[in-house]
Amino acid sequence: MAIIVQKFGGTSVKSPENRRAALGHIAKAKNMGYDVVVVVSAMGRMGDPYATDTLIDLLKTEAGGEVSPKKKDLIMACGEIISTAVMASYIESQGFKTEAMTGFQAGILTTADFGNAEIIKVDPKPIKEKLREGNIVVVAGFQGQTEKGEITTLGRGGSDTSAAALGGYLEAELVEIYTDVPGIAVTDPRIVPEAPFISKISYDEVIAMADNGAKVIHPRAVKAAKKFNTPLKVKSTFEEDGGTIIGPAESDLTISGIPLQRNLVEAKFSRADKYNDKETEKLLKLSCDGSVYLDSAGASIVLIDSEQEKSAKILAEELKSNVEFYHDIAKVSVVYKSTVDSRMLNKEITELFLENNIPVVIHQSLNNCSKFIINDKDATKAVDIIFHRYF
Ligand code: ADP
Ligand code: MG
């Protein structure tokens, strides 16, 4: 029988009403004859009792600030396990046979990068066996285990990656990502409410959006789906139809995304000699957007989260570099079609920023995406003016 994987995010599993809406999609797929695998995130957001941030806070309070990454993963993984037990029990109460599994029981093997582990492979046998018995299988997202049996988590938004990887290894017909918006919009609808939703878009376009901060889907999820050539659909839990289908075909848009990343720190590494390939690799690993920017004076600029300042200082010592930090930084990017003249586009946007008194620290174009580093206070205005210039 064909398999479908359905992932439900934090808001979708947060309350009894929302779980009922989720069940509607699960029951529909099951009644259509699919074998259904449900992947769930932790319930709710910051402040909700079992949300990821609440669990981290609990640990931080006890640990007096510094928390070991391994123990942090242990407590974070609980959020999805609670959600799995709750969701599976609810689905069962509605007359379906279910099996509830942690990520480890579901055969998800990862690297030992606690807090940001990568999936190495998935053993499809445990889930397939439970599907064969007629169960709807509910799996805890965002988690896996190392070869040694240590519990890991996959980084913020990692449940999307759990779903895409399970879809790939189970040879699913479709992976559906259910969330609180009706698909992928050109830009975050919280910033530009009139931003249109896109019905069809390519893996590469969404990878560029997600790598540059569009948090609607985790970049590794899209990369996994591309590797297995599994179609992904992003849609709203609270609507029957609609949604964005992500596959090999490009969207019909010249500019398909304006992602924004906020609250960043600019780490400026400088030393007399250039960095060799191995050293650049280390700078790339530190960066939160997979880029190293060069400023006019030849310094290497890496964008990081504020929590990474300590790691940046350690790396600077290792590289015998000077490092300076600049706070309250944001980055707005423009994802464009391969046929677009990026030089023209950059010129237009630079002029637009100038007209609107938005200083640009630096900009760079890479892989059909132009990135502009600006001050965080200008972030939403920057998105808004770019959107209204092209739409
Ligand atoms: P979930 O908990 O379901 O994974 P997320 O909060 O991770 O939900 O992702 C959904 C949110 O992503 C939306 O509420 C929206 O504000 C945000 N978002 C950012 N960029 C986009 C975009 N281009 N299209 C749609 N939503 C976006
Ligand atoms: Mg998410």
Side-chain angles (χ1 to χ4, degrees):
M1 230 188 296
I3 295 175
I4 191 165
V5 178
Q6 299 182 320
K7 179 256 168 177
F8 295 92
T11 17
S12 307
V13 290
K14 161 184 169 161
S15 62
E17 298 87 314
N18 294 6
R19 290 194 283 274
R20 193 174 320 125
L23 177 74
H25 301 287
I26 299 166
K28 189 174 169 195
K30 184 72 183 165
N31 293 335
M32 279 167 75
Y34 280 105
D35 274 342
V36 185
V37 177
V38 174
V39 176
V40 289
S41 295
M43 301 193 292
R45 297 261 192 275
M46 184 71 177
D48 291 326
Y50 311 111
T52 309
D53 286 313
T54 313
L55 298 172
I56 297 172
D57 266 2
L58 175 66
L59 204 64
K60 274 190 182 154
T61 313
E62 290 303 310
E66 284 285 305
V67 179
S68 102
K70 210 160 150 179
K71 293 187 185 67
K72 195 171 163 189
D73 273 10
L74 200 58
I75 200 159
M76 284 200 287
C78 297
E80 275 69 18
I81 297 177
I82 293 168
S83 190
T84 300
V86 170
M87 196 65 194
S89 303
Y90 169 58
I91 299 171
E92 198 152 81
S93 77
Q94 300 303 303
F96 298 93
K97 236 175 108 182
T98 65
E99 182 71 29
M101 285 185 176
T102 63
F104 356 117
Q105 287 171 315
I108 299 176
L109 186 74
T110 75
T111 60
D113 298 306
F114 297 99
N116 193 26
E118 271 194 73
I119 295 177
I120 299 169
K121 66 172 183 198
V122 181
D123 175 6
K125 283 199 289 294
I127 293 183
K128 282 211 165 148
E129 193 184 311
K130 293 299 170 191
L131 288 175
R132 221 174 294 126
E133 291 167 6
N135 291 289
I136 291 174
V137 179
V138 185
V139 183
F142 181 57
Q143 57 181 250
Q145 68 171 332
T146 67
E147 266 182 337
K148 292 188 195 157
E150 300 150 312
I151 294 177
T152 52
T153 67
L154 309 177
R156 278 298 154 109
S159 294
D160 298 336
T161 309
S162 308
L166 285 173
Y169 283 95
L170 291 166
E171 296 172 342
E173 192 177 289
L174 178 66
V175 173
E176 292 181 322
I177 307 286
Y178 285 92
T179 183
D180 58 0
V181 283
I184 297 181
V186 170
T187 191
D188 190 342
R190 272 183 231 191
I191 304 173
V192 183
E194 65 271 36
F197 286 90
I198 304 166
S199 58
K200 175 200 81 180
I201 191 166
S202 71
Y203 295 119
D204 289 333
E205 287 172 288
V206 182
I207 289 169
M209 282 167 85
D211 268 340
N212 290 294
K215 89 180 225 301
V216 63
I217 191 160
H218 196 258
R220 281 185 188 154
V222 194
K223 289 171 192 171
K226 182 183 174 185
K227 181 172 135 197
F228 289 100
N229 205 15
T230 313
L232 274 178
K233 189 163 194 178
V234 180
K235 55 187 290 201
S236 167
T237 304
F238 312 101
E239 288 176 24
E240 185 73 25
D241 302 311
T244 302
I245 187 88
I246 311 169
E250 270 202 329
S251 72
D252 305 324
L253 298 165
T254 313
I255 285 172
S256 49
I258 313 169
L260 175 67
Q261 242 168 334
R262 298 194 64 171
N263 300 316
L264 302 172
V265 176
E266 180 191 324
K268 191 176 190 175
F269 288 79
S270 43
R271 71 171 192 199
D273 322 335
K274 276 196 171 159
Y275 297 104
N276 64 30
D277 286 356
K278 237 188 179 154
E279 290 173 329
T280 306
E281 197 60 41
K282 286 185 181 163
L283 288 169
L284 278 173
K285 194 146 190 234
L286 177 74
S287 96
C288 67
D289 69 341
S291 290
V292 176
Y293 303 82
L294 286 182
D295 78 359
S296 50
S300 295
I301 288 172
V302 175
L303 296 176
I304 60 172
D305 296 322
S306 54
E307 283 177 9
Q308 290 170 296
E309 277 188 37
K310 212 169 132 190
S311 318
K313 281 185 190 153
I314 295 171
L315 181 61
E317 261 177 49
E318 194 189 319
L319 300 179
K320 297 191 172 49
S321 290
N322 183 36
V323 63
E324 285 169 273
F325 298 108
Y326 300 89
H327 298 92
D328 301 319
I329 297 290
K331 189 190 70 184
V332 60
S333 308
V334 179
V335 180
Y336 51 85
K337 253 209 173 78
S338 35
T339 47
V340 167
D341 178 350
S342 63
R343 260 197 304 183
M344 268 304 286
L345 183 77
N346 287 338
K347 192 167 166 275
E348 278 169 16
I349 296 174
T350 310
E351 277 168 13
L352 195 63
F353 282 155
L354 204 63
E355 279 161 28
N356 286 277
N357 298 318
I358 297 179
V360 176
V361 179
I362 201 163
H363 81 261
Q364 189 185 76
S365 285
L366 198 71
N367 301 333
N368 295 344
C369 181
S370 286
K371 310 170 188 208
F372 299 84
I373 301 177
I374 57 174
N375 293 315
D376 194 73
K377 68 174 177 49
D378 297 324
T380 51
K381 185 178 169 194
V383 172
D384 200 66
I385 58 171
I386 297 174
F387 176 81
H388 287 103
R389 169 73 176 73
Y390 295 102
F391 289 89

